[in-house]
Amino acid sequence: MLDRFNAKQVDVSAANLESITFKSKVYQIGPVTLTQGEFRASAAPDTVSEVVVKLTDKRVFGVVNGKMVGAVVATTTLGGSGTFYELALLIESVESVQGWTNTDTVLLGDRVKVHSLAIERDHITVVMTTHGPQEPMCCPTLTVIKHFAVQGDRLVMVNKGIY
């Protein structure tokens, strides 16, 4: 069932996102610029704990509402046990060195499992496993499919199904 959203996507293999500026909802100090696909900073003064923001291999590019967009999943850890997954909207941009600008980010959850991204019928679709009621953070079992519309330069969740 999880594979039914693996539709053919636009090939943008030349898209270099390894040094993109990313707007994390989790790390709210400000946008971070990735170096080789990640950002690292001290979590607090005089500590060895680090904030780490990383791109994952979950990426999709295609046409939504007549314009070229991309969606990528990034993870953020703040030095504790949580790993927060975020869906980032990328808009094709001639001003950006990478050709893409991150215009919005949506939190998907802490310690979830993202299985796939797709662009279909003018929506970005995320298939993921998250936590059901009373489940421990280690072990999500609830499969959900979230559909996001792109309104201007923002992601808006329009539908969520539980499977």
Side-chain angles (χ1 to χ4, degrees):
M1 172 177 69
L2 298 179
D3 290 333
R4 72 181 179 149
F5 291 101
N6 291 337
K8 179 165 174 48
Q9 304 300 322
V10 175
D11 179 23
V12 288
S13 55
N16 179 6
L17 305 178
E18 301 301 302
S19 60
I20 195 164
T21 298
F22 178 70
K23 298 177 180 182
S24 173
K25 297 275 194 220
V26 176
Y27 183 64
Q28 297 180 353
I29 301 298
V32 299
T33 299
L34 305 181
T35 301
Q36 295 180 336
E38 70 178 33
F39 166 84
R40 291 180 176 271
S42 178
D46 300 323
T47 181
V48 295
S49 294
E50 282 188 308
V51 171
V52 180
V53 179
K54 283 197 231 186
L55 287 178
T56 71
D57 62 349
K58 303 298 186 214
R59 305 169 187 195
V60 67
F61 296 86
V63 178
V64 175
N65 299 328
K67 68 179 170 182
M68 189 64 155
V69 302
V72 298
V73 174
T75 61
T76 302
T77 58
L78 299 173
S81 62
T83 301
F84 301 91
Y85 286 74
E86 297 177 89
L87 177 66
L89 174 64
L90 306 177
I91 303 290
E92 193 172 37
S93 169
V94 293
E95 292 88 33
S96 170
V97 174
Q98 297 83 16
W100 299 93
T101 300
N102 173 214
T103 60
D104 195 23
T105 308
V106 174
L107 180 64
L108 296 173
D110 179 11
R111 291 171 263 190
V112 299
K113 296 176 184 173
V114 177
H115 302 290
S116 65
L117 296 178
I119 293 178
E120 57 188 19
R121 297 187 295 277
D122 280 333
H123 289 97
I124 297 168
T125 301
V126 180
V127 179
M128 59 187 271
T129 302
T130 190
H131 304 86
Q134 311 300 317
E135 285 187 332
M137 293 304 289
C138 71
C139 312
T141 64
L142 184 65
T143 299
V144 296
I145 299 174
K146 294 183 177 185
H147 302 277
F148 294 89
V150 177
Q151 294 180 357
D153 61 357
R154 310 274 310 176
L155 286 167
V156 177
M157 188 164 65
V158 293
N159 190 2
K160 175 179 162 183
I162 298 172
Y163 299 89

